[in-house]
Amino acid sequence: MKNYIIKKNKKIYYSKIGKGNPIVLLHGISSSSKTWSKVANQLKKTNTLFLVDFRGHGNSDHFESYNWNDYTEDTVELIEKNIKEPVDLIGHSLGACIAAQTASLINNKINTLILEDPPFYHYDRYGKKLISDRFIGNLKLSKEYNSKKEIYDKLSSNSKLSKVKNLDLIAENLSNLDYKVLESTISGEALKSFSSNKIISKISNIDTLLLAGDPKKTGNVIIPEEIKYIENIMDKIKVVYFQNTGHNIHEEKYNDFMKEILIFLDETKKL
């Protein structure tokens, strides 16, 4: 079922499927809720799922502002006004950061957190130049081309990308993306007022599963030293490392990913 949150006369899209305890799934930057399709097919058997397209992504409208606080406010509104009961929050990359910040604001509305390769300190550690290098290719494609086909053709003509899984979905997501999302991220404007340390200290009492890819494969999105720091603060965190795995754990190691989150969700329900 297609649903929308209305903000400033613009729509933020989410789909609602399944039946059972509510789970909200949040995607990464330049992606969309479709990244969760395979995961959702499993989870919807036992849960009601809310799959969100962040503003400027997927089926959602384009907005003037793409501050991380904006994504968080949108997610809080979804939970408080549309779901109206405590949820499990699953987020990948940007979505993991937004899940954590959401939990820090409405702690009593969050049952558990599942954070997949969250870039809590990535921008601070890498700086504008290296973040720009990481996103400049996608920025150029989303800014210069409007059609999925044009972007797909460009991606598939690149020998390094031609064999990438889900290239069709990547092209679709980039064709729907507001390029200002990436401009705001590269400049650092999007991360203003986002404090990982403050957020982590406020969610230390929430049962949390942190899934980390191999830093050599992820481009050091989150590194072991940062994870150790988080573990020292959070009382109820479980960390699972995925060796020889990139940033998109839920796609690259789907079976292992599902095994870990299903065990975690089952264990936390029994507490």
Side-chain angles (χ1 to χ4, degrees):
M1 180 186 296
K2 291 184 178 180
N3 300 273
Y4 297 94
I5 302 168
I6 306 299
K7 299 287 290 286
K8 297 182 179 179
N9 296 317
K10 293 187 177 184
K11 295 178 179 178
I12 297 168
Y13 167 84
Y14 68 93
S15 61
K16 179 182 177 183
I17 58 173
K19 189 174 183 180
N21 294 330
I23 298 178
V24 177
L25 294 102
L26 305 175
H27 62 79
I29 192 168
S30 76
S31 185
S32 73
S33 58
K34 287 186 177 182
T35 189
W36 297 116
S37 294
K38 196 172 180 180
V39 173
N41 283 336
Q42 176 67 25
L43 291 179
K44 72 179 182 181
K45 297 173 184 177
T46 53
N47 296 87
T48 302
L49 308 182
F50 296 82
L51 298 106
V52 181
D53 281 347
F54 285 134
R55 57 173 65 198
H57 296 73
N59 289 311
S60 292
D61 287 340
H62 293 184
F63 283 67
E64 291 301 316
S65 174
Y66 295 109
N67 191 290
W68 286 16
N69 290 343
D70 296 322
Y71 300 131
T72 300
E73 288 174 8
D74 298 339
T75 306
V76 168
E77 182 169 332
L78 169 68
I79 294 169
E80 291 193 321
K81 294 185 179 180
N82 297 61
I83 302 177
K84 300 179 182 178
E85 62 177 301
V87 304
D88 298 305
L89 263 177
I90 301 176
H92 171 236
S93 194
L94 165 66
C97 291
I98 302 309
Q101 188 173 36
T102 297
S104 75
L105 297 176
I106 51 171
N107 203 287
N108 63 326
K109 301 289 178 63
I110 309 302
N111 290 325
T112 66
L113 281 170
I114 298 176
L115 309 177
E116 179 187 354
D117 226 35
F120 283 130
Y121 304 100
H122 195 216
Y123 193 95
D124 290 339
R125 179 165 29 88
Y126 262 38
K128 183 176 179 179
K129 173 65 169 62
L130 290 176
I131 293 296
S132 176
D133 291 345
R134 189 177 188 114
F135 290 120
I136 196 68
N138 282 351
L139 172 59
K140 184 176 181 180
L141 289 172
S142 63
K143 193 171 186 177
E144 295 184 4
Y145 301 98
N146 294 318
S147 80
K148 172 183 172 180
K149 184 182 184 306
E150 286 179 312
I151 294 176
Y152 180 85
D153 289 343
K154 283 288 180 180
L155 290 171
S156 59
S157 67
N158 185 323
S159 59
K160 294 181 179 180
L161 298 175
S162 59
K163 295 181 180 179
V164 170
K165 291 182 179 179
N166 300 325
L167 202 62
D168 189 66
L169 178 57
I170 293 171
E172 178 182 331
N173 288 335
L174 288 175
S175 69
N176 290 326
L177 181 71
D178 185 347
Y179 68 85
K180 294 177 184 176
V181 168
L182 294 177
E183 286 187 337
S184 183
T185 300
I186 290 170
S187 71
E189 182 68 27
L191 285 78
K192 283 187 176 179
S193 302
F194 184 90
S195 171
S196 295
N197 288 349
K198 288 181 180 178
I199 290 167
I200 290 165
S201 68
K202 290 180 180 179
I203 61 173
S204 62
N205 64 320
I206 298 177
D207 287 302
T208 301
L209 174 64
L210 194 157
L211 306 170
D214 187 332
K216 294 179 181 178
K217 295 283 187 177
T218 67
N220 293 308
V221 168
I222 186 166
I223 58 177
E225 293 85 351
E226 293 164 354
I227 294 174
K228 286 294 183 185
Y229 173 79
I230 294 168
E231 286 184 286
N232 288 334
I233 295 174
M234 296 187 68
D235 302 323
K236 303 169 75 175
I237 190 169
K238 175 183 179 182
V239 178
V240 178
Y241 291 91
F242 288 78
Q243 300 301 321
N244 199 35
T245 306
H247 188 47
N248 295 310
I249 302 168
H250 67 280
E251 294 178 353
E252 294 179 45
K253 294 289 180 67
Y254 167 77
N255 289 332
D256 294 333
F257 176 88
M258 290 305 304
K259 177 184 175 182
E260 293 295 341
I261 69 170
L262 289 174
I263 289 173
F264 175 75
L265 291 171
D266 184 59
E267 288 177 344
T268 52
K269 283 177 185 175
K270 293 176 181 178
L271 297 178

